[in-house]
Amino acid sequence: QYLKENLLSYGVTSVWNDNCEYEGLVDKDARVFFEGKGATIGQVKPVMSNLMCQLTQEAVHETFPNTRAFAVCRSGHAGIQRYAQTWAGDNLTCWESLKYNIATILGMGLSGVANQGCDIGGFYGTAPEEELFVRWVQNGIFQPRFSIHSTNTDNTVTEPWMYSGTKHLIRDAIQFRYRLSPYMYALMARAARTGAPIMEPLVYAFQEDEHCYNEGTTFMLGDSLLVANVVEKGATEREVYLPKGTIFYDFETREAYEGGQTISIPVTLESIPMFLKSGSILPMAENQIYNLATEKVTGLKILCVPDQDAAFDLYDDDGASMDYEQGVYANIHIEMKAGEQTILNFVKTGSYESPVERMHIDMVHREKSPYWVRVDGMEVPHFLNRSDYEAAESGWYYSQTLKSVQIKYPNIHRDYQVVVSFEAFDLIGM
């Protein structure tokens, strides 16, 4: 009875008893006030999680008016995204959970719940085998909620360092997530503003392509990055369908693939198959972040594919206060115009002072090197030697390996423009 009373205090209304029978702790016909409308506890149970999270938000703001509340809740009714981040319950540790949790998160995104995730590595069961754990982390880094915790039945605890032979792969994946933090934060702001998913199902992103209708493991992270995680045990290759109507570029090699086809790529345990879509604008941290609460992005890398016009809103604020409601935020609207003169316009709104000190533009352009590059109306120096480019404060360099233009300069804390000329020129002009 003591246990039941304590469970009730935590909002638990039913348990399994010693005879493995489902036993209610409260009378579901008990009457509740329900904001003056009157109801039974059984009738309002679906919205109890919402009400508890709403109460949490209101209590935090009442006690700490300028503190941004953050609630996490396992369940909820329609509208829970207004009050809390959620996750997909206590999943079983197995390959099937890894695969089908992705579809669950994609479905939640379509239902308006963008800030979603699952327990990485599985929550219940024996400890995940080494390969399964690596693959789960490699997928989990793209989930809005990334959390490794468990109640393993073999008296172990799932931790990033549990397998010494592959802990470097876990580390690399988590560090990549931290470098993605500017992109993820901007997508989170977009979700709060518009309700758009962060992990986008292919059927959402490519609605005219019928081959995307039943895809539940490959997804878009925002509008720029297609992710095709390896989710099969012992896989040595991954078949990836690339939606039609666009071009995709391998994230690592920048090799181009025409959409509308299925490709097969070799994979190892290190592989996280990713592809940039035409018109991608993908902001990443240049400096390695390890703690978002204590460290800031001081170097920003904009990875872009200017084979078509595109735009992206890069959002930032202090991440802790309510000052953004008073305009203390920075929204950088990046507009990309493709052409012989490729133009990037940076237009800022909001009064938040960005901690970014250095800018790096990584512009995929497989056809040829630029003629010249101008930043804020001034032509920046061209370096033929990579080491000279890396030593300079500003300038540009064309990577023959990546077929990409590398541009760097000190951050400009106001509206400005970057122009890259791919115009034809003769040898004398060069």
Side-chain angles (χ1 to χ4, degrees), residues 28 61 86 106 115 142 145 197 218 233 273 291 360 371 428:
K28 292 185 179 180
H61 288 150
T86 62
L106 297 178
N115 198 344
F142 302 106
R145 178 188 185 268
T218 302
K233 182 177 180 179
N291 188 324
H360 172 197
Y371 187 17
I428 296 177

Side-chain angles (χ1 to χ4, degrees), residues 349-396:
T349 56
S351 61
Y352 179 70
E353 288 298 324
S354 171
V356 173
E357 301 168 356
R358 302 175 307 281
M359 294 291 295
H360 172 197
I361 296 174
D362 184 345
M363 182 179 290
V364 178
H365 199 275
R366 299 189 62 82
E367 291 76 18
K368 59 182 177 180
S369 173
Y371 187 17
W372 48 259
V373 175
R374 290 177 185 154
V375 176
D376 196 28
M378 300 292 292
E379 195 164 320
V380 296
H382 174 206
F383 294 94
L384 296 175
N385 184 286
R386 181 66 187 243
S387 60
D388 291 340
Y389 165 77
E390 292 176 349
E393 185 178 55
S394 63
W396 69 273

Side-chain angles (χ1 to χ4, degrees), residues 45-64:
K45 185 178 180 182
V47 298
M48 286 178 64
S49 298
N50 292 35
L51 294 174
M52 287 190 288
C53 293
Q54 179 182 1
L55 178 62
T56 300
Q57 292 275 348
E58 292 174 353
V60 170
H61 288 150
E62 181 179 328
T63 308
F64 307 100

